[in-house]
Amino acid sequence: MELAHQDIGYCKGVGNKRADTLRKELNIVTALDMVTTVLPYKYTDRSKFYKIHEIVDEDTAVQIIGEVTEWHMVGIGKGQRLSATFTDGQHMIELVWFRGVQFVKLEKGVQYLLFGKPTRYNHQYNFVHPELTPMSKVKPQMLQGLEPDYNTTDGMKRIGLNSKGIRNIMASLMPDVQHGVAETIGQDILDKYHLMGRRDAILNVHFPPNTAVMQKARERMKFEELFYIQLHILRQMKRRENNEGFLMPIVGKHFNRFYHEQLPFELTNAQKRVIREIQGDMKSGKQMNRLLQGDVGSGKTLVALLCALLAVDNGYQACIMAPTEILANQHYSTLHEMLQPKEGGEPIARVALLTGSTTQKQRTLLHDSLRNGSLNILIGTHALIEDEVQFANLGLVIVDEQHRFGVAQRAKLWTKNIRPPHVLVMTATPIPRTLAMTVYGDLKTSIIDELPPGRKPITTVHYSIQRKASVNQFIRKQIDLGRQVYVVFPLIKENKDLELKDLQNGYNELCETFPDYRISMVHGQMKAKDKDEQMRRFASGETQILVATTVIEVGVNVPNASVMIIENAERFGLSQLHQLRGRVGRGADQSYCVLMTKLELSKDTRQRMDIMVATNDGFRIAEADLQLRGPGDLEGTQQSGLPFDLHIASLVTDGQILDIARSAAKEILDNDPLLEDQYNQMYKRRLDVLRQTTTYFGEIS
Ligand code: ADP
Ligand code: MG
């Protein structure tokens, strides 16, 4: 029987209760789900025997042959345990049982096979609850090949579905794999890329005879996972290429007036190039779906504005959607000012702002001017995707800092005109290549790989809090030179109260240290009005220091601020640190970023700080970030933040397989964009199955 039609509840060793749990915890319904999505995260080599003195860590399960020399009960009450001494003939090690002591049968003079993970206790290793099997009862096949280990959940462990429990179920399912699993990848591709067939891959991913075969099996499983994601993404892209789009061939007076009369500086070559790429899409007659990547400070806002003006030139409206109110406000005031002619008079285009704080009265006016078309560009937070916001003729949507918007929110924008508008997505910082190829894989990409001229690289230093006094001295010196300073504190949702106190304390401390300076403070829980006021005071130079949480992370632009102090920098991720640092270095002055951490740092944190000190290049930092955040064990299952689950492939380590999977998928679709060929029906059917069972594959935008 095909495993795909076999209810997991009816499989040997499962039953209703376990089936329920498997469905709830891991979304497993069939036997095929079980063998293809619950995959080992590591293996233990059961053909290898250790000696006691070879134990070097707690991570590796080991097996040792030896004897038990003596045992006795120690401790009283809850701490009572059975302690035994085990020897391999040369060294001794303690074995401990806290529970089930009555079931432990020990005999002197008997050879045992001990199997388990060592624990480090009081500077020595011991084994807690090891498996101890008399050698006379060890079956030879137990000592062959690699033994799989599976991740489980607490709920699963409670009903015996620990790693061993799962291993037993897998073992009983394996005989059916040979005849009950269909191939999902064409023979031509298997041949071309030297991939293992699906059955062999499943058998060998669970119970490989050796490491080489295990790797081939995993490679095939990873390929399949990434291949179908790419096939899905690229097919969507092909379909959309046929989407009629609003035709915007004109470069007209709005664009030209702004370009020739308003621009205070020359565009960088990279900015010119990406505008040409975007304009190429807008005049193609097809709907644009493009990703704009550029490092912090590379001038994405200006590109956005110029594209919006192109839309206006062609009789359409544009909107720019930002993730936070602060950022929306800031975009609004920047663009509003830039569009004001130097010699006075009517603005080059009409812009308005819509956020959660826009009053009902303002909204009514705004809705009218949107509907009658007198408003050209609307800037806002996600407030602008609400149903009541109706445009006369929306033609271009620009989404700034895309990652914070959900798919459903984006889909709403599609319905704001008779056809989907052109879409330009801008990321806050560069994103790693593998993420760009998957999460944004259905978008064409433009990259601004050049900063405006004259920027001095930001000098970054890493200090421990012990050196606070010299940091304060430095702040004073910079302010006396006429500069302004940001001081940022972490604020992470789970612990709001505690950390707001940190922020408040930090603020008070700074007030005491610098009684002669004026200090602003902003955080996410302030009223929008107060936040704006504080930001305004800092932007206008009224205050010298801005104490803030990460609400200032994205987009804030105060060119005279040249120092960024990040408190508790160990609490931030790399891309966040890079974003924060990007708030300085925007003017002509030499800028500084000071990373303050506690003295004792984990290896990981130290690496993060070192990378920040070593480079200003957001593309390099993005790659390093992914490497560092990568999963510890073999390869990761939970890659948070991805719209799809990866059971075995990893975007950290499997970049090469991803490349191959993408070209294989591309080759198929280049020859048969709609998967109509007889030979490609297998792929089409598989995508349909995935669409029914996986949210990611179901979403059509
Ligand atoms: P980001 O890409 O991080 O959104 P911004 O659009 O905020 O960057 O631009 C950063 C700063 O660089 C702004 O002050 C902007 O006016 C300025 N800028 C943008 N393009 C140029 C350019 N071609 N030459 C000089 N300055 C520029
Ligand atoms: Mg920006």
Side-chain angles (χ1 to χ4, degrees):
M1 180 161 148
E2 286 220 21
L3 293 192
H5 303 137
Q6 208 166 307
D7 188 328
I8 189 67
Y10 295 127
C11 296
K12 191 169 163 232
V14 185
N16 279 346
K17 194 165 160 201
R18 287 182 166 186
D20 257 7
T21 306
L22 285 169
R23 184 168 39 75
K24 277 193 205 117
E25 305 257 341
L26 301 175
N27 205 14
I28 285 166
V29 181
T30 68
L32 187 67
D33 294 340
M34 185 78 186
V35 298
T36 54
T37 62
V38 182
L39 300 172
Y41 71 98
K42 72 181 192 62
Y43 302 85
T44 305
D45 187 349
R46 294 297 309 245
S47 63
K48 181 172 160 62
F49 295 91
Y50 282 76
K51 289 287 182 190
I52 289 170
H53 74 266
E54 288 174 315
I55 296 174
V56 287
D57 61 43
E58 295 185 305
D59 297 330
T60 318
V62 298
Q63 54 187 358
I64 308 172
I65 295 174
E67 292 178 24
V68 180
T69 53
E70 61 83 35
W71 56 90
H72 55 276
M73 296 301 295
V74 287
I76 44 160
K78 266 199 163 168
Q80 198 179 41
R81 61 195 186 273
L82 172 64
S83 164
T85 305
F86 182 86
T87 174
D88 60 6
Q90 290 173 314
H91 298 87
M92 299 205 272
I93 193 163
E94 188 192 15
L95 315 183
V96 185
W97 287 266
F98 294 97
R99 283 172 278 110
V101 170
Q102 65 274 28
F103 303 116
V104 182
K105 298 273 177 282
L106 298 175
E107 249 182 279
K108 285 188 193 168
V110 170
Q111 289 274 306
Y112 287 103
L113 177 68
L114 177 150
F115 179 72
K117 263 191 189 182
T119 313
R120 209 173 153 76
Y121 178 72
N122 265 346
H123 308 292
Q124 283 193 331
Y125 286 107
N126 64 17
F127 286 96
V128 179
H129 294 170
E131 277 177 49
L132 211 55
T133 321
M135 280 308 281
S136 56
K137 294 201 177 146
V138 173
K139 299 191 192 101
Q141 59 265 40
M142 248 178 79
L143 302 180
Q144 278 167 12
L146 305 181
E147 188 173 76
D149 268 309
Y150 301 88
N151 278 321
T152 67
T153 62
D154 287 342
M156 288 166 66
K157 282 189 188 124
R158 272 197 292 277
I159 51 170
L161 290 176
N162 52 13
S163 183
K164 191 174 173 186
I166 291 182
R167 190 186 309 140
N168 289 337
I169 295 175
M170 292 298 181
S172 67
L173 289 174
M174 286 303 124
D176 294 341
V177 169
Q178 204 49 259
H179 301 289
V181 172
E183 183 53 74
T184 48
I185 290 177
Q187 192 60 42
D188 53 339
I189 293 183
L190 295 181
D191 290 345
K192 180 165 178 187
Y193 298 108
H194 310 289
L195 296 166
M196 205 181 252
R198 195 171 187 220
R199 291 167 196 164
D200 285 345
I202 293 174
L203 291 169
N204 287 307
V205 81
H206 292 288
F207 298 101
N210 57 49
T211 310
V213 174
M214 177 264 280
Q215 275 162 351
K216 282 305 274 183
R218 295 184 72 88
E219 190 185 300
R220 145 75 205 220
M221 307 285 282
K222 290 172 177 183
F223 177 90
E224 175 172 344
E225 200 164 62
L226 296 170
F227 170 79
Y228 273 98
I229 290 173
Q230 290 303 317
L231 197 63
H232 170 70
I233 286 174
L234 293 173
R235 184 166 69 150
Q236 295 235 49
M237 197 166 163
K238 289 263 181 218
R239 278 188 182 151
R240 280 216 218 103
E241 275 169 16
N242 295 325
N243 270 5
E244 294 285 304
F246 296 120
L247 195 62
M248 305 189 185
I250 300 166
V251 182
K253 66 171 197 293
H254 296 92
F255 184 94
N256 281 320
R257 254 186 88 195
F258 182 81
Y259 194 87
H260 296 295
E261 294 167 21
Q262 296 293 110
L263 256 190
F265 36 65
E266 180 75 5
L267 292 183
T268 62
N269 286 327
Q271 282 171 318
K272 287 181 189 163
R273 190 191 67 242
V274 303
I275 290 171
R276 272 197 304 275
E277 288 166 359
I278 295 165
Q279 205 234 339
D281 288 355
M282 289 168 69
K283 67 178 183 198
S284 71
K286 304 289 178 205
Q287 186 218 2
M288 169 173 80
N289 284 283
R290 195 172 269 281
L291 174 71
L292 177 60
Q293 284 207 61
D295 208 344
V296 186
S298 60
K300 295 184 289 284
T301 316
L302 200 58
V303 170
L305 175 59
L306 282 160
C307 295
L309 291 175
L310 281 175
V312 176
D313 273 340
N314 287 274
Y316 293 92
Q317 292 165 306
C319 69
I320 302 177
M321 195 155 73
T324 65
E325 259 188 68
I326 288 194
L327 191 53
N329 286 346
Q330 165 142 340
H331 276 338
Y332 172 74
S333 54
T334 312
L335 300 200
H336 184 75
E337 195 186 308
M338 283 181 145
L339 290 168
Q340 221 53 50
K342 294 205 185 85
E343 66 277 14
E346 286 289 293
I348 290 176
R350 292 184 186 283
V351 287
L353 176 70
L354 176 64
T355 68
S357 325
T358 310
T359 63
Q360 199 51 49
K361 210 168 121 200
Q362 291 168 317
R363 265 168 209 254
T364 314
L365 279 175
L366 203 137
H367 288 165
D368 286 347
S369 60
L370 266 183
R371 267 196 296 266
N372 67 28
S374 60
L375 189 66
N376 306 119
I377 302 171
L378 180 63
I379 297 166
T381 54
H382 51 264
L384 58 78
I385 61 176
E386 284 160 19
D387 292 331
E388 72 217 43
V389 183
Q390 299 288 338
F391 293 80
N393 200 7
L394 179 64
L396 171 68
V397 174
I398 299 169
V399 184
D400 198 6
E401 332 291 6
Q402 151 81 7
H403 54 285
R404 303 193 182 197
F405 282 103
V407 174
Q409 288 173 313
R410 253 189 299 158
K412 263 193 152 174
L413 278 164
W414 270 215
T415 59
K416 299 251 175 221
N417 205 343
I418 47 165
R419 269 180 211 153
H422 295 304
V423 178
L424 180 68
V425 165
M426 306 198 290
T427 60
T429 54
I431 46 177
R433 200 180 63 91
T434 52
L435 270 182
M437 277 167 68
T438 47
V439 180
Y440 300 100
D442 58 338
L443 308 180
K444 292 182 183 164
T445 307
S446 289
I447 295 183
I448 308 184
D449 51 6
E450 180 187 359
L451 293 180
R455 294 269 172 85
K456 296 198 180 77
I458 301 163
T459 303
T460 303
V461 291
H462 170 207
Y463 282 162
S464 73
I465 35 174
Q466 268 81 348
R467 300 181 61 184
K468 188 138 205 162
S470 54
V471 173
N472 283 339
Q473 248 174 2
F474 175 71
I475 293 178
R476 181 171 289 282
K477 213 170 107 201
Q478 289 294 312
I479 294 180
D480 290 346
L481 285 169
R483 320 269 191 269
Q484 289 165 283
V485 178
Y486 295 103
V487 183
V488 175
F489 289 84
L491 182 69
I492 295 150
K493 282 201 185 68
E494 301 89 71
N495 217 341
K496 270 185 196 160
D497 295 341
L498 201 87
E499 281 153 358
L500 271 184
K501 223 172 93 200
D502 278 359
L503 182 79
Q504 190 66 50
N505 284 343
Y507 174 79
N508 294 345
E509 234 173 74
L510 283 164
C511 289
E512 268 168 43
T513 317
F514 301 111
D516 42 339
Y517 298 147
R518 281 179 304 272
I519 306 179
S520 304
M521 175 162 76
V522 293
H523 58 78
Q525 275 142 294
M526 281 162 84
K527 286 208 189 85
K529 207 171 103 251
D530 300 337
K531 234 185 319 193
D532 283 352
E533 173 58 13
Q534 295 287 325
M535 283 304 298
R536 189 199 58 72
R537 290 179 68 211
F538 186 67
S540 69
E542 223 174 290
T543 57
Q544 289 83 41
I545 301 176
L546 176 68
V547 180
T549 59
T550 50
V551 290
I552 65 146
E553 175 188 335
V554 282
V556 169
N557 190 21
V558 180
N560 189 50
S562 65
V563 181
M564 166 63 66
I565 314 273
I566 305 176
E567 299 271 354
N568 290 118
E570 69 271 14
R571 308 265 297 270
F572 294 99
L574 263 180
S575 76
Q576 237 182 343
L577 289 172
H578 183 59
Q579 256 299 315
L580 285 168
R581 176 169 63 183
R583 300 308 104 213
V584 297
R586 296 181 157 245
D589 306 313
Q590 174 62 51
S591 291
Y592 303 90
C593 174
V594 183
L595 308 168
M596 305 278 294
T597 63
K598 56 185 187 189
L599 194 57
E600 298 263 318
L601 295 180
S602 67
K603 182 167 156 242
D604 190 82
T605 310
R606 185 156 294 285
Q607 281 178 319
R608 278 204 315 271
M609 299 306 133
D610 289 350
I611 291 163
M612 286 297 294
V613 171
T615 183
N616 278 305
D617 180 343
F619 287 90
R620 268 181 66 192
I621 290 174
E623 292 296 335
D625 190 21
L626 188 61
Q627 298 295 333
L628 283 180
R629 274 186 298 130
D633 279 311
L634 253 183
E635 272 104 40
T637 38
Q638 277 91 42
Q639 313 217 7
S640 58
L642 291 185
F644 43 79
D645 288 333
L646 288 178
H647 297 291
I648 185 163
S650 152
L651 296 183
V652 182
T653 48
D654 297 327
Q656 262 180 322
I657 301 179
L658 177 58
D659 286 336
I660 295 170
R662 188 167 173 101
S663 29
K666 196 165 171 305
E667 215 169 295
I668 292 172
L669 292 169
D670 280 346
N671 294 321
D672 180 15
L674 300 174
L675 298 179
E676 288 166 334
D677 289 357
Q678 195 51 39
Y679 186 76
N680 290 331
Q681 292 317 296
M682 168 172 66
Y683 299 126
K684 199 171 174 178
R685 275 197 304 272
R686 178 85 187 132
L687 283 175
D688 283 342
V689 171
L690 290 171
R691 182 151 69 217
Q692 280 158 27
T693 53
T694 320
T695 20
Y696 171 72
F697 286 88
E699 125 219 343
I700 303 257
S701 49

